[in-house]
């Protein structure tokens, strides 16, 4: 049969010619779909890790809020102050990670769980904002404004992105388009906007209003505090005589009440806006704004817990001190300074230098050296606190204190002094005279090396090294002169006892300033840090109760109260008492 006899032959032939093109396009489209699916799977591989990253950030926020809750309950502050979860650069960064999903406009997340997660992030943001609100009061004016602006930018970006996803339908995608099928898509979108966008914008408005109120309220609180402070300072008990432990306890209690009731964070937590925000969203300094009056009036003794943490090693060291004579013995006026320009002294530098000398005595038992080290280590914590509190404005003192702190780490940890290994039991330098002369000569060489340097090559590091070396030179030379020619007859035990006694006297003299440090911590602080400083003062008072009592009956030099904070004033008076 001839093919041409087939009916519609020409149409059939044309169709056969067209079929290969259809097959090719179909296979090409299948290949493209497979390729795109493979690429999509490849792009989706990091999603589990991104989810874990977001979950970790959310967990950090939750743990911080729970920590604030426990902190408030432990301290019987039912308004739950913000101590761990506060508004700052770090918390804003973590929050930005925690709300990453509703901020994402490009990744398709059509699943039901994906939709719920995005909505849940909006709810979590509202909760975090409600919990962060009292922390606004902990910022100074500049920090408050900058953090509010940063939070506003984050919230506005979140709201805009959320609204974009609602308007484009990404946030309501369903396979059967159920919303559109029943013509309720617009209504559903409206409900979601009202349910999540409006509350978060209301919280942002509350933040702005609270910030403005805080700025003015701080001024009022500060004015009231200063008035109460003036009244407290006029108290005759505090002005009469030295500050005893009982007077200090009453002093701390008074300022604790003043700081607690005048706390900006407490004021913010008690405000109507914070109470409203807490009632709506807070999981935990907020609706329990009223602090019980009986708690304020009969607050627990803040020093009770700290009294169980007395520095035992320091107390044992101070028991070797009977007066303050050691301050007149460790540095003689007959020993000239090697420095071209005389510098002031500080409490910590001679302590470190004398401890270094004691550690250089090889025949002293290790347990005695360790006991001295532990006592000096505990003592330096309080000595440094005295220096930082009472000598903070003096640049020269601050520099020498920093040098002494660095030197102490080298001495305590590495048993070295300015890079030089201290003598050990196998050393040929083992008599007290030899050890003192060896240390003196090492110190002298270090000072002279710095003094002979070109002035352009000197820097602060070399300057403070020369000061440390000059201290070692003067102290070792003073001890050698005090024994005259009898230094070779002195045993290492006698020299160790002599040095330990001077160390104890210096620490004791310095710690007579502890009552003034406690008083200043209560009074001299910014309003945002006042409550924390009073707590620190109470902690310090509890730890040093026995020390203050042990030094209470000692006769102090006839110096002005401000002069008692400086070791040079003590030394000058004890060497040449005023008539």
């Amino acid at each position: 049969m001839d093919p041409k006899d087939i009916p519609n032959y020409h149409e059939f032939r044309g169709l056969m010619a067209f079929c290969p093109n259809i097959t090719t396009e179909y296979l090409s489209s299948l290949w493209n779909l497979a390729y795109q699916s493979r690429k999509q799977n490849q792009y989706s591989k990091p999603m589990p890790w991104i989810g874990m990253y977001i979950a970790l950030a959310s967990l950090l926020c939750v743990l911080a809020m729970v920590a604030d809750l426990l902190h408030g309950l432990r301290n019987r502050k039912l308004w739950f102050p913000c101590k761990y979860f506060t508004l700052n650069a770090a918390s804003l960064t973590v929050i930005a990670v925690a709300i990453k999903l509703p901020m994402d406009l490009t990744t398709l997340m059509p699943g039901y769980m994906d939709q719920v997660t995005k909505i849940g992030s909006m709810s979590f943001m509202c909760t975090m904002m409600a919990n962060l609100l009292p922390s606004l009061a902990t910022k100074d004016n500049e920090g408050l404004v900058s953090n509010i602006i940063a939070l506003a930018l984050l919230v506005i970006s979140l709201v805009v992105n959320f609204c974009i996803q609602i308007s484009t339908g990404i946030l309501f995608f369903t396979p059967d388009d159920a919303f559109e099928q029943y013509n309720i898509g617009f209504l559903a979108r409206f409900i979601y906007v009202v349910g999540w966008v409006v509350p978060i914008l209301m919280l942002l408005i509350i933040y702005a209003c609270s910030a403005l109120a805080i700025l003015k309220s701080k001024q009022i609180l500060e004015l009231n505090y200063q008035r109460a402070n003036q009244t407290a300072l006029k108290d005759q008990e505090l002005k009469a005589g030295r500050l005893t432990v009982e007077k200090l306890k009453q002093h701390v209690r008074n300022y604790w009440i003043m700081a607690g009731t005048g706390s900006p964070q407490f004021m913010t937590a008690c405000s109507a806006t914070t109470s409203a925000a807490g009632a709506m969203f807070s999981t935990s300094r907020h609706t329990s704004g009223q602090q019980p009056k009986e708690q304020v009036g009969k607050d627990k003794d803040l020093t009770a817990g700290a009294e169980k943490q007395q520095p035992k090693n320091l107390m044992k060291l101070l028991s070797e001190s009977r007066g303050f004579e050691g301050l007149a013995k460790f540095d003689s006026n007959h020993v000239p300074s090697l420095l071209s320009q005389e510098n002031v002294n500080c409490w910590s530098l001679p302590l470190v230098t004398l401890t270094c000398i004691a550690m250089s005595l090889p025949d002293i038992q290790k347990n005695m050296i360790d006991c001295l080290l532990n006592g000096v280590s505990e003592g330096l914590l309080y000595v440094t606190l005295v220096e930082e509190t009472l000598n903070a404005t003096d640049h020269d003192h601050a520099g020498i204190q920093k040098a002494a702190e660095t030197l102490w780490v080298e001495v305590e940890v590495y048993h070295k002094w300015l890079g030089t290994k201290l003598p050990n039991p196998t050393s040929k330098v083992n008599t007290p005279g030899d050890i003192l002369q060896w240390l003196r000569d090492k110190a002298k060489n270090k000072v002279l090396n710095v003094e002979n340097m070109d002035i352009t090559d000197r820097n602060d590091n070399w300057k403070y090294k020369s000061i440390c070396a000059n201290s070692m030179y003067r102290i070792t030379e003073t001890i050698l002169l005090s024994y005259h020619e009898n230094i070779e007859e002195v045993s290492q035990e006698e020299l160790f006892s002599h040095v330990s006694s001077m160390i104890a006297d210096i620490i004791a003299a310095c710690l007579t300033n502890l009552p003034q440090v406690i008083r200043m911590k209560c009074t001299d602080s910014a309003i945002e840090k006042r409550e924390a400083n009073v707590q620190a003062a109470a902690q310090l008072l509890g730890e040093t109760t026995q020390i203050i009592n042990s030094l209470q009956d000692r006769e102090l030099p006839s110096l002005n109260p401000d002069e008692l904070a400086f070791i040079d004033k003590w030394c000058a008076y004890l060497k040449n008492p005023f008539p």
Side-chain angles (χ1 to χ4, degrees):
M1 181 178 179
D2 190 350
K4 293 180 180 181
D5 296 336
I6 298 176
N8 301 324
Y9 168 75
H10 296 288
E11 289 81 358
F12 176 77
R13 185 176 178 182
L15 181 62
M16 290 299 293
F18 185 66
C19 279
N21 294 333
I22 296 177
T23 303
T24 302
E25 291 179 4
Y26 177 68
L27 292 177
S28 177
S29 63
L30 286 179
W31 187 88
N32 286 330
L33 287 174
Y35 177 78
Q36 293 297 331
S37 176
R38 181 180 178 184
K39 295 298 289 184
Q40 184 65 36
N41 291 335
Q42 185 178 356
Y43 295 150
S44 300
K45 284 183 179 179
M47 288 302 293
W49 294 102
I50 295 175
M52 294 176 64
Y53 183 49
I54 296 173
L56 179 61
S58 303
L59 179 62
L60 289 176
C61 295
V62 171
L63 291 178
M65 288 186 284
V66 172
D68 282 337
L69 172 63
L70 297 178
H71 171 72
L73 293 174
R74 184 173 63 250
N75 291 277
R76 294 189 292 180
K77 295 182 178 180
L78 301 182
W79 50 277
F80 308 128
C82 294
K83 180 179 180 181
Y84 304 102
F85 192 53
T86 62
L87 188 64
N88 52 42
S91 62
L92 285 172
T93 302
V94 176
I95 290 172
V97 175
I99 60 171
K100 184 181 185 306
L101 290 179
M103 296 282 280
D104 191 354
L105 295 175
T106 57
T107 305
L108 292 177
M109 301 180 65
Y112 174 77
M113 186 61 67
D114 300 332
Q115 304 281 307
V116 173
T117 302
K118 287 194 174 188
I119 299 299
S121 296
M122 294 291 291
S123 175
F124 188 48
M125 183 63 183
C126 292
T127 301
M128 289 188 291
M129 289 180 67
N131 281 271
L132 281 172
L133 187 53
S135 71
L136 296 179
T138 63
K139 310 296 178 185
D140 56 24
N141 293 349
E142 183 179 350
L144 177 62
V145 173
S146 61
N147 280 283
I148 286 291
I149 293 175
L151 179 65
L153 293 175
L154 179 63
V155 170
I156 292 173
S157 299
L158 175 63
V159 168
V160 170
N161 287 7
F162 189 75
C163 291
I164 290 175
Q165 294 177 72
I166 292 176
S167 64
T168 57
I170 293 179
L171 206 54
F172 298 98
F173 176 84
T174 55
D176 54 359
D177 294 326
F179 285 117
E180 300 300 336
Q181 180 179 352
Y182 296 103
N183 298 319
I184 60 173
F186 176 78
L187 179 61
R189 290 181 173 87
F190 178 77
I191 292 174
Y192 270 75
V193 169
V194 173
W196 300 110
V197 174
V198 172
I200 203 169
L201 290 178
M202 288 178 59
L203 281 173
L204 185 59
I205 295 173
I206 290 176
Y207 264 74
C209 295
S210 298
L212 294 175
I214 287 170
L215 293 175
K216 184 61 179 178
S217 299
K218 280 184 178 180
Q219 297 178 2
I220 299 174
L221 289 174
E222 182 65 21
L223 181 62
N224 292 335
Y225 177 86
Q226 293 303 329
R227 289 174 179 171
N229 184 34
Q230 292 300 321
T231 303
L233 291 178
K234 291 179 181 178
D235 188 340
Q236 293 300 320
E237 273 194 354
L238 284 175
K239 294 186 68 175
R242 296 169 66 176
L243 295 175
T244 63
V245 169
E246 290 305 317
K247 290 179 180 179
L248 283 170
K249 284 185 177 180
Q250 184 60 44
H251 189 68
V252 170
R253 287 193 192 102
N254 292 340
Y255 276 90
W256 167 250
I257 295 173
M258 291 163 57
T261 55
S263 168
Q265 196 169 176
F266 176 64
M267 174 273 301
T268 304
C270 292
S271 66
T273 53
T274 306
S275 299
M280 289 188 294
F281 301 106
S282 178
T283 59
S284 57
R285 292 156 187 165
H286 303 314
T287 54
S288 302
Q290 293 293 331
Q291 188 176 14
K293 293 183 179 179
E294 62 271 16
Q295 178 185 341
V296 177
K298 301 178 181 179
D299 208 326
K300 62 180 180 180
D301 187 356
L302 299 175
T303 63
E307 286 180 355
K308 301 177 182 179
Q309 305 173 11
Q310 299 291 315
K312 298 179 181 179
N313 295 301
L314 175 58
M315 290 296 301
K316 185 175 181 180
L317 177 60
L318 288 177
S319 65
E320 301 180 19
S321 172
R322 296 292 180 267
F324 305 120
E325 293 80 8
L327 278 82
K329 296 179 180 178
F330 81 91
D331 190 14
S332 173
N333 291 334
H334 299 290
V335 179
S337 174
L338 297 177
L339 298 175
S340 57
Q341 182 179 359
E342 191 59 48
N343 290 274
V344 298
N345 209 343
C346 71
W347 294 100
S348 51
L349 182 56
L351 286 175
V352 176
T353 303
L354 287 166
T355 305
C356 184
I357 295 173
M359 292 175 60
S360 301
L361 302 174
D363 293 345
I364 303 301
Q365 296 180 5
K366 185 178 183 301
N367 64 323
M368 296 179 65
I369 294 292
D370 291 340
C371 185
L372 177 65
L373 274 175
N374 293 332
V376 174
S377 181
E378 289 180 356
L380 280 174
L381 293 176
Y382 301 109
V383 169
T384 302
L385 184 61
V386 170
E387 292 175 330
E388 291 177 348
T389 304
L390 303 181
N391 304 339
T393 58
D394 192 301
H395 177 73
D396 291 334
H397 273 97
I400 298 175
Q401 291 158 18
K402 189 65 177 179
E405 183 180 347
T406 304
L407 181 62
W408 174 245
V409 174
E410 186 180 9
V411 171
E412 183 184 29
V413 178
Y414 302 104
H415 289 198
K416 290 183 178 182
W417 175 79
L418 295 181
T420 302
K421 186 70 175 178
L422 298 177
N424 54 62
T426 61
S427 174
K428 296 181 180 179
V429 182
N430 51 21
T431 67
D434 291 340
I435 292 171
L436 289 171
Q437 291 173 11
W438 179 79
L439 289 171
R440 179 198 62 187
D441 294 340
K442 286 286 185 180
K444 184 176 181 179
N445 290 335
K446 288 184 179 293
V447 175
L448 294 179
N449 287 339
V450 176
E451 290 294 308
N452 292 331
M453 290 174 61
D454 189 275
I455 192 170
T456 58
D457 295 331
R458 300 181 191 178
N459 53 34
D460 287 343
N461 187 38
W462 283 107
K463 174 186 175 182
Y464 295 129
K465 279 187 176 182
S466 65
I467 292 174
C468 294
N470 186 64
S471 174
M472 175 65 79
Y473 171 78
R474 290 180 64 91
I475 291 176
T476 51
E477 186 67 12
T478 298
I479 296 175
L480 287 170
L481 289 176
S482 66
Y483 286 107
H484 302 290
E485 290 82 12
N486 300 325
I487 187 62
E488 298 302 331
E489 300 176 6
V490 178
S491 66
Q492 291 193 25
E493 289 75 13
E494 291 174 330
L495 180 57
F496 181 83
S497 178
H498 179 63
V499 170
S500 299
S501 178
M502 288 192 289
I503 291 173
D505 287 350
I506 294 173
I507 294 178
C510 179
L511 298 189
T512 58
N513 292 285
L514 279 174
Q516 294 301 324
V517 172
I518 294 171
R519 184 186 64 82
M520 289 186 64
K521 275 192 169 294
C522 290
T523 56
D524 297 342
S525 59
I527 188 172
E528 297 85 6
K529 301 179 180 178
R530 187 166 292 148
E531 189 173 5
N533 282 357
V534 175
Q535 284 185 319
Q539 176 77 16
L540 177 62
L541 176 58
E543 292 177 2
T544 58
T545 296
Q546 294 182 15
I547 295 175
I548 295 174
N549 281 329
S550 67
L551 300 176
Q552 190 65 46
D553 297 330
R554 296 196 186 186
E555 184 179 356
L556 298 179
S558 301
L559 298 172
N560 295 329
D562 293 339
E563 294 178 329
L564 292 174
F566 298 92
I567 190 173
D568 287 338
K569 300 293 184 180
W570 280 74
C571 293
Y573 177 86
L574 293 173
K575 293 174 184 177
N576 300 293
F578 300 147

